[in-house]
Amino acid sequence: MLSIVLVDNELKILPFVLSETDWIIEALVTVSLNDSLCNNDRIKNTYHELDFWNNDDLSGFEYNDLADLWEAQLKIENATNREIADYQIAKYTFYRGYAVVKRIMNRNVDMIIVKGPNHGYCYDRLLTSMATIKGIHSFNIEEKLLNKRGIYDNLSKKLIPICENGTNEVDNSLFCKAPKEYIDRHNRKGIWGKIY
């Protein structure tokens, strides 16, 4: 049986995981702790996003991890600095969140699912970064896959196509490319050509 960590702020994916799979949720990260869905027997631990900010238990802290997580640390500190204008507090926030993530990742985790993109906080960026270091697949997905082009796999750093047309559709959705007819119609030289 698969054991996962699910980051689902508004509990949009959780109902489908509970109804469509037999997965065990080792850790659920959300902002909706009072929801009746959070009381399911298959959910072993539930964390509120603020638990990563307010954690005072730094046990299990390993300095060796910091060398591997420096990129995630910079992203998390920068994200924290959007809300707190004190670099030292941002650094301490990373350490607090790191300790929670370390405890989560010391459990039996086979996969991590994050609803939406990584926003650069401990509860998403640090979880996916630590999973990548440990060789565990972590995916960023949307709650509605209709009209979506792919699911991002943090381990391989690739977008996995989920549409029938395959990779070409994924490539076309990543960049805004002008249609050939438009380019032909506005084929100009110099600065105007570059603007077009």
Side-chain angles (χ1 to χ4, degrees), residues 51-68:
D51 292 340
F52 295 82
W53 287 71
N54 299 329
N55 172 47
D56 288 327
D57 178 8
L58 297 182
S59 62
F61 196 93
E62 295 182 33
Y63 287 99
N64 293 339
D65 287 344
L66 298 182
D68 294 330

Side-chain angles (χ1 to χ4, degrees), residues 7 29 52 68-80 82 94 97-98 101 105 112 114 116-133 138 140 152-155 157:
V7 180
V29 180
F52 295 82
D68 294 330
L69 294 170
W70 66 270
E71 185 179 341
Q73 181 175 358
L74 288 176
K75 289 179 181 179
I76 290 163
E77 289 170 358
N78 287 337
T80 305
R82 286 181 252 165
F94 168 77
Y98 159 81
V101 169
M105 295 304 291
I112 295 176
V114 177
N118 282 335
H119 293 97
Y121 293 107
C122 293
Y123 61 82
D124 56 11
R125 171 60 64 194
L126 192 51
L127 269 169
T128 57
S129 294
M130 197 172 283
T132 300
I133 289 168
S138 62
N140 291 86
Y152 188 73
D153 180 356
N154 290 284
L155 185 60
K157 297 186 177 174

Side-chain angles (χ1 to χ4, degrees), residues 53 76-94:
W53 287 71
I76 290 163
E77 289 170 358
N78 287 337
T80 305
N81 281 331
R82 286 181 252 165
E83 299 168 17
I84 300 170
D86 186 329
Y87 183 73
Q88 294 306 319
I89 292 175
K91 187 178 277 305
Y92 186 54
T93 299
F94 168 77

